[in-house]
Amino acid sequence: MSKIRDIFDIVIVYMVALVGITIAGLLDIDFEGSFLIWGRCSWTNIGIYFCILLIPVMIFLFRKEKISEYGFFKVKIGRQIFIGLVMGVVLSFVIIMMLRLLGYGNRLTVEYLEIKTILYYFFVVAVVEELLFRGFIYFKIKKYCDSEAMAIVASSLLFACSHYIKGQNGLILIAIIFSSLICLLRFKIKSCSTLSLIIAHGIGYSMFNVWILNGLA
């Protein structure tokens, strides 16, 4: 019964996430490159992203689960933050180097990101996507399969598919690699928590979008 419930939770949360992310992506359709959406759709998109979290939050409260079940813990907060900062910088450069090796180097240009855009990446995109994919979905899959490897693979594929639905087809491989690496690092690095991943995602996504991928998305 418990395993069936976990599958039900994953399906419901992921379907709602796909609908929300797809709508947010359609609202971004006039924006190119780094998807700087602080225009007419900004508050709508922010609202959509946080509405996506309503279902997992309701499930969390209804099931009376503990926050520690989703990779959060109270000890060594400073170390968690530091790990997230380092991971974000390192992963962003790794991804950029991979793109250059794949032949996308001529499409990389530098663009200034406004503070409000960086804040959006941190407190909307990074928070929502990490809580969903490396928080709720990852740990539900791990609990169901009792396998770290399966949780990493499955959550990474689901994360990548959400970017495909949003229309960022050229970033599918990057999304899979990013998600797999960040999951592996949490598994291997002591004191690396979901908080660390949120920080890493925010930094990585901000730095990644400094190099606009013209024509890649």
Side-chain angles (χ1 to χ4, degrees), residues 94-132:
V94 167
I95 296 300
I96 293 300
M97 290 303 102
M98 288 184 61
L99 287 172
R100 296 186 67 87
L101 291 173
L102 291 172
Y104 292 109
N106 61 334
R107 300 183 184 182
L108 302 179
T109 58
V110 177
E111 180 171 306
Y112 169 72
L113 293 185
E114 296 181 359
I115 295 298
K116 59 186 179 182
T117 304
I118 295 175
L119 292 176
Y120 171 76
Y121 289 153
F122 262 95
F123 295 103
V124 180
V125 176
V127 169
V128 172
E129 292 190 354
E130 289 307 316
L131 289 178
L132 281 174

Side-chain angles (χ1 to χ4, degrees), residues 26-38:
L26 291 175
L27 292 178
D28 284 347
I29 197 167
D30 293 331
F31 295 84
E32 298 180 357
S34 59
F35 296 95
L36 308 182
I37 66 169
W38 286 87

Side-chain angles (χ1 to χ4, degrees), residues 6 26 33 35-36 43 87 114 163 181 188 196 201:
D6 289 334
L26 291 175
F35 296 95
L36 308 182
W43 291 110
M87 284 174 57
E114 296 181 359
H163 286 70
L181 285 176
K188 293 292 185 180
S196 304
H201 193 150

Side-chain angles (χ1 to χ4, degrees), residues 195-213:
L195 172 61
S196 304
L197 302 196
I198 291 173
I199 296 170
H201 193 150
I203 291 177
Y205 201 39
S206 297
M207 294 185 68
F208 179 72
N209 280 280
V210 168
W211 290 273
I212 306 305
L213 307 181

Side-chain angles (χ1 to χ4, degrees), residues 14 133 155-165 172-173 175-176:
Y14 189 66
F133 293 101
S155 63
S156 297
L157 288 175
L158 291 176
F159 176 69
C161 287
S162 73
H163 286 70
Y164 177 83
I165 295 295
I172 296 298
L173 177 60
I176 293 175

